[in-house]
Amino acid sequence: MSYASTSVIQIIPRTRRGVELLLLVIAVAVSVAAYVNIGLTVQNSVPASTGYYAAGIGLLALIAHLVLRYRAPYADPVLLPCAVLLNGLGVAMIHRIDLGLTAIGRTKGVPFAPQQITWTAVGVVLFVAVIVLIRDHRRLQALTYTAGLAGLVLLVLPLVPGLGVNLNGARIWVRLAGMSFQPGEFAKVCLVVFFAGYLVVKRDVLTLAGRRFLGLDLPRARDLGPILIAWVVSLGVLVFESDLGSSLLFFGLFLFLLYVSTERAGWLIIGGLLFAGGAYFAYMTFGHVHRRITDWLNPWAIDGGQIKLGLMGQAWGGVLGRGLGQGHPELTLYANSDMIISSMAEELGLTGLIAIILIYTLIVERGLRAALGCRDIFGKLVATGLAMSFALQVFVIVGGVTGLIPLTGLATPFMALGGTSLVANWAIIALLLRISDQARRPQTPAAPVSDETIAMAVQKQ
């Protein structure tokens, strides 16, 4: 028997774009079903805007899918459907609250749900731009210090007289050309790129251990400069912008990336002590921080307080919820933005809230999986930082709404009313998908293998 010919074995990894398309169909169907269910419950009819809503969400999801299919075919197939599902459910709940506000005469001009769909379109446009323009995430490493400077500028922008405005007790907004936006949402993306690029260069120095205390290798005193700078900046955000959530988010991101890059638990202990000391100092010194803590410790003392009404709504929802359209989330202040998690818990119950948290957990898990599969340290740290930004933000939001920690002004990713947060989160998903595409993409084509080699391998078996 002759084995003179040569065959080529080429293993083509699955792109999983078909799986992504199926999950997108399910995500859009669930979102549209929620929207219709709300209309049938509240208005006893299918909403007239159902076609507009379904076409908008479906078309935007299809555009994002097609861009990934042709520009990042090996990207993670789960991240985009999770984002679409959360976005769609958020728009449905905002529509539900619009109807409730109209019923009690507290409506403010045009409904918010169409605005949220418009901002979703802007977010998908930015998503497409990131996927198309950033062909290789490693090029961002050259912009390390530029990204750091941009992040700091965006952080202090609300403090500029004439630009920054104080809304709901926090100075985190900028009003320009008649429009308000939250620069801190884009600052976290810039700072993650800066943290990752900085730690790639300095990780060997920061890994060096100093004294050993209680079994932990503490860093050397001379290496404490970066964490002290990050601490001062986060404390400044807390003091001058009255934003506990962003302060915790930025410092927590740097601290977590520092731990991941050095594998030194001592950094976590030092960072935790620094943040606890800074928060206590702010509580004892500044009135707005003291009020936040006081309202958290005793929410029932405030008649009609935001936390009080949110907790009562969640308690009324119980385990299975009142049902979409059958609660009264509109009675809670800022039910469509700061307290949208409370609104969801009231109408979907603890079960629905757990399901939503699991979707966020899945986004974090897929982001960390992309970090594990990435072949370069910079990409690993960027993916880890972006994934943990979701984790920290959701923890701060859910913890504040449920009374675990003081309530902050952070927006629930993809769900809360607000254009800046929504657009920034679509950009984060795009970066995670770009990194996952590089991580899952085959490095080299398969080498040709002769028929004789195949036969010999079969005989050995």
Side-chain angles (χ1 to χ4, degrees):
M1 186 174 184
S2 174
Y3 299 102
S5 62
T6 300
S7 299
V8 176
I9 298 178
Q10 187 174 4
I11 301 175
I12 303 176
R14 295 182 179 181
T15 61
R16 299 291 185 181
R17 299 274 68 82
V19 174
E20 179 185 77
L21 182 59
L22 176 61
L23 292 176
L24 283 174
V25 171
I26 295 174
V28 172
V30 171
S31 302
V32 174
Y35 194 86
V36 172
N37 190 11
I38 289 170
L40 291 174
T41 303
V42 179
Q43 300 175 312
N44 295 320
S45 63
V46 176
S49 57
T50 300
Y52 166 77
Y53 171 75
I57 295 295
L59 181 60
L60 292 174
L62 180 61
I63 291 173
H65 167 74
L66 292 176
V67 170
L68 288 179
R69 180 176 287 271
Y70 293 105
R71 290 288 187 169
Y74 294 95
D76 187 280
V78 178
L79 281 170
L80 180 60
C82 286
V84 170
L85 178 58
L86 291 171
N87 200 156
L89 290 177
V91 175
M93 180 52 66
I94 291 171
H95 172 65
R96 159 71 187 98
I97 297 170
D98 284 341
L99 296 177
L101 292 175
T102 301
I104 62 176
R106 283 173 50 189
T107 182
K108 297 180 180 180
V110 297
F112 292 111
Q115 298 179 30
Q116 191 75 347
I117 295 180
T118 302
W119 281 115
T120 301
V122 176
V124 172
V125 169
L126 184 58
F127 172 94
V128 171
V130 171
I131 294 294
V132 172
L133 297 178
I134 302 178
R135 302 299 298 273
D136 189 343
H137 67 272
R138 290 169 292 188
R139 296 183 178 180
L140 295 176
Q141 190 171 357
L143 303 174
T144 295
Y145 292 99
T146 303
L149 178 61
L152 288 177
V153 170
L154 289 171
L155 277 181
V156 302
L157 206 57
L159 300 177
V160 177
L163 284 179
V165 292
N166 193 315
L167 294 177
N168 306 328
R171 194 177 179 86
I172 57 177
W173 294 87
V174 168
R175 190 181 302 277
L176 188 64
M179 298 181 62
S180 298
F181 66 95
Q182 213 171 333
E185 292 290 341
F186 291 99
K188 66 183 178 184
V189 182
C190 295
L191 291 177
V192 165
V193 174
F194 168 69
F195 293 156
Y198 175 81
L199 291 172
V200 166
V201 178
K202 300 294 184 179
R203 63 190 297 265
D204 292 335
V205 175
L206 297 173
T207 304
L208 296 176
R211 294 184 178 182
R212 192 172 182 82
F213 180 73
L214 296 178
L216 294 173
D217 293 324
L218 299 178
R220 301 180 302 176
R222 72 185 72 172
D223 300 327
L224 293 177
I227 196 171
L228 289 176
I229 294 174
W231 176 68
V232 170
V233 172
S234 65
L235 191 60
V237 172
L238 173 61
V239 171
F240 297 108
E241 298 186 2
S242 307
D243 191 4
L244 176 62
S246 295
S247 175
L248 176 59
L249 176 62
F250 297 138
F251 187 70
L253 278 177
F254 178 73
L255 191 61
F256 190 82
L257 287 178
L258 186 58
Y259 168 69
V260 169
S261 61
T262 62
E263 300 180 8
R264 297 291 185 188
W267 287 113
L268 295 178
I269 295 176
I270 293 176
L273 292 175
L274 284 174
F275 188 83
Y280 181 74
F281 170 77
Y283 168 71
M284 298 299 296
T285 308
F286 302 101
H288 60 271
V289 179
H290 189 275
R291 286 192 298 272
R292 286 269 186 176
I293 303 298
T294 303
D295 295 346
W296 166 57
L297 293 175
N298 191 13
W300 310 108
I302 306 174
D303 188 20
Q306 191 177 20
I307 303 176
K308 175 182 177 180
L309 293 176
L311 291 174
M312 292 175 65
Q314 294 171 62
W316 193 44
V319 176
L320 298 178
R322 309 306 300 177
L324 285 173
Q326 300 186 47
H328 294 286
E330 69 277 0
L331 299 179
T332 304
L333 297 175
Y334 306 110
N336 53 12
S337 54
D338 294 358
M339 303 295 289
I340 196 166
I341 285 293
S342 174
S343 304
M344 286 288 186
E346 180 176 343
E347 300 213 329
L348 298 180
L350 178 63
T351 305
L353 180 59
I354 291 174
I356 291 171
I357 294 175
L358 285 176
I359 297 174
Y360 284 117
T361 304
L362 190 58
I363 290 178
V364 175
E365 185 271 334
R366 303 304 288 198
L368 294 178
R369 175 175 292 192
L372 288 174
C374 191
R375 302 180 182 99
D376 62 284
I377 301 299
F378 175 75
K380 287 179 180 292
L381 291 177
V382 170
T384 301
L386 295 177
M388 290 310 300
S389 71
F390 278 109
L392 286 172
Q393 195 160 341
V394 172
F395 168 75
V396 169
I397 294 161
V398 176
V401 168
T402 57
L404 179 64
I405 60 175
L407 184 65
T408 66
L410 289 180
T412 308
F414 293 109
M415 299 189 74
L417 176 67
T420 312
S421 173
L422 186 58
V423 173
N425 285 317
W426 273 108
I428 291 175
I429 290 293
L431 285 174
L432 285 174
L433 287 168
R434 171 53 68 198
I435 294 173
S436 69
D437 175 67
Q438 188 271 344
R440 299 175 70 243
R441 184 182 295 272
Q443 288 183 293
T444 56
V449 181
S450 66
D451 289 349
E452 183 177 1
T453 304
I454 299 174
M456 292 176 62
V458 171
Q459 290 176 1
K460 288 181 180 180
Q461 293 179 356

